[in-house]
Amino acid sequence: MDPALNDAAVIIMYTYLTAYYFCFLIALLRLLQIIATSRKGWDVKRTVHGMIPGGLLLRALWFTVLVYEYRRNKKILLIAPLPDQTVLSIIIGSLPGYWSFSNYTLVCLFWFYLFNGAYSQTESAYSTIKKVFASINIFVYGVWITLMGLVIGCTCRDTAHSSEAGFVSALNFVIGVVFAFFLVKLYGFSPPIHTLASAKHMLIRKRIGYLTVICCLAFLARAIIIAFSFFMWTTDRSIFISTCIYLIVCELLPEMLILIGLGWKTTPKSQPQLYNYTTNADPPLLSHNQ
């Protein structure tokens, strides 16, 4: 094994370990601030805020396991082949990716919730969100548990792990394309009327577009990097580089950008006098800052 590659892998392990724990603390403090300052129930937005530190913590724990194995046995699991991986490192290493998938999916459904809120359909939208989110995650995590069982308990570990990579790559590509279609279709709609509600709706559309672009790029990048890493980039150096790119582009950076996007306010700077011709009130979801 290349000594220079080993040294780089050790540096990356400690660097990413620090970065993930630091970002986890930021996301956790933001979540605690929301809980302390808001009296609302545990809605979709707060759930997204709660899932962000969870994914960052899972990946930080994975790097903790890698550092522990390195300090104890001098094994660099970040670039070790699959047969040399421990069961704990395999499970913890794959779980944060699925957690990020769930988080990005929930964010997309949250956009659907916001968009329908502009037309006073929040109750039906929220019911749809729960059903779709539960169905997708039951299917995805069911497949993951099955494949992890094959990876851990069977002799055909390489085949099962390659099957998981193909499943994750195809899944992320399909979801990324669906999100992109959703973004294009969303911007084809026009605000209902030129009112205060419409002004807020325009700001929500900007937030939706910002978060949709982030998740589309994250899903497509995940699909491409995972596919190339398992089926084309087979050398230790290429796998190491793709892993480093994947962690930044597909997990750490999107999670923090989503956290920033969720903090945007939706109150327009200038408010016209006429704000709703029908109910004389803002739609339910838009009656307060998001």
Side-chain angles (χ1 to χ4, degrees):
M1 182 131 344
D2 188 358
L5 183 61
N6 290 345
D7 295 339
V10 172
I11 295 174
I12 288 296
M13 282 194 303
Y14 282 100
T15 302
Y16 276 45
L17 176 69
T18 305
Y20 270 97
Y21 272 118
F22 177 74
C23 293
F24 162 72
L25 290 176
I26 293 177
L28 180 62
L29 290 175
R30 175 57 179 162
L31 175 62
L32 294 177
Q33 180 188 17
I34 293 175
I35 295 175
T37 58
S38 176
R39 297 181 180 179
K40 296 188 301 179
W42 198 267
D43 55 7
V44 180
K45 181 180 179 181
R46 187 172 291 189
T47 303
V48 174
H49 274 291
M51 292 190 66
I52 291 177
L56 296 172
L57 179 61
L58 286 173
R59 185 59 73 186
L61 291 176
W62 180 62
F63 276 107
T64 302
V65 172
L66 298 187
V67 171
Y68 173 77
E69 287 293 333
Y70 171 72
R71 295 176 64 89
R72 182 184 179 184
N73 302 319
K74 297 301 178 180
K75 294 173 60 178
I76 307 177
L77 297 181
L78 183 64
I79 55 177
L82 184 62
D84 296 337
Q85 299 279 344
T86 63
V87 173
L88 184 61
S89 67
I90 293 175
I91 295 176
I92 298 182
S94 61
L95 184 56
Y98 287 89
W99 188 281
S100 297
F101 171 84
S102 298
N103 195 19
Y104 299 159
T105 304
L106 184 59
V107 170
C108 181
L109 296 174
F110 176 57
W111 306 329
F112 175 76
Y113 180 60
L114 288 177
F115 184 77
N116 280 270
Y119 298 95
S120 303
Q121 299 172 357
T122 55
E123 292 299 328
S124 60
Y126 188 65
S127 176
T128 302
I129 284 174
K130 292 190 292 185
K131 294 178 182 178
V132 173
F133 184 72
S135 301
I136 293 176
N137 281 274
I138 289 174
F139 168 73
V140 170
Y141 284 95
V143 174
W144 175 70
I145 292 174
T146 302
L147 292 175
M148 282 296 99
L150 294 175
V151 169
I152 296 171
C154 297
T155 56
C156 55
R157 176 179 291 187
D158 292 340
T159 303
H161 204 40
S162 298
S163 300
E164 185 205 5
F167 167 73
V168 173
S169 179
L171 180 67
N172 281 273
F173 179 78
V174 171
I175 295 296
V177 172
V178 171
F179 282 11
F181 174 78
F182 174 79
L183 175 63
V184 173
K185 185 176 181 180
L186 175 67
Y187 275 86
F189 286 97
S190 300
I193 51 176
H194 295 289
T195 62
L196 175 60
S198 298
K200 289 185 177 181
H201 181 53
M202 290 298 293
L203 292 177
I204 286 178
R205 288 178 65 189
K206 290 182 180 180
R207 176 197 285 184
I208 292 174
Y210 168 78
L211 296 178
T212 306
V213 169
I214 291 174
C215 284
C216 282
L217 294 177
F219 275 115
L220 295 176
R222 281 164 59 88
I224 294 172
I225 293 175
I226 292 175
F228 274 76
S229 297
F230 278 87
F231 304 111
M232 296 186 67
W233 298 334
T234 57
T235 64
D236 293 337
R237 187 176 298 274
S238 60
I239 294 176
F240 170 68
I241 294 175
S242 64
T243 301
C244 295
I245 296 174
Y246 169 85
L247 292 173
I248 294 179
V249 175
C250 303
E251 289 188 5
L252 190 59
L253 185 60
E255 297 278 5
M256 299 311 294
L257 290 177
I258 289 173
L259 190 65
I260 294 173
L262 291 175
W264 283 1
K265 301 297 182 180
T266 57
T267 302
K269 296 181 180 179
S270 59
Q271 299 181 353
Q273 295 181 352
L274 297 177
Y275 53 97
N276 197 301
Y277 296 124
T278 56
T279 62
N280 201 36
D282 293 336
L285 193 64
L286 306 183
S287 59
H288 56 273
N289 293 347
Q290 293 295 324

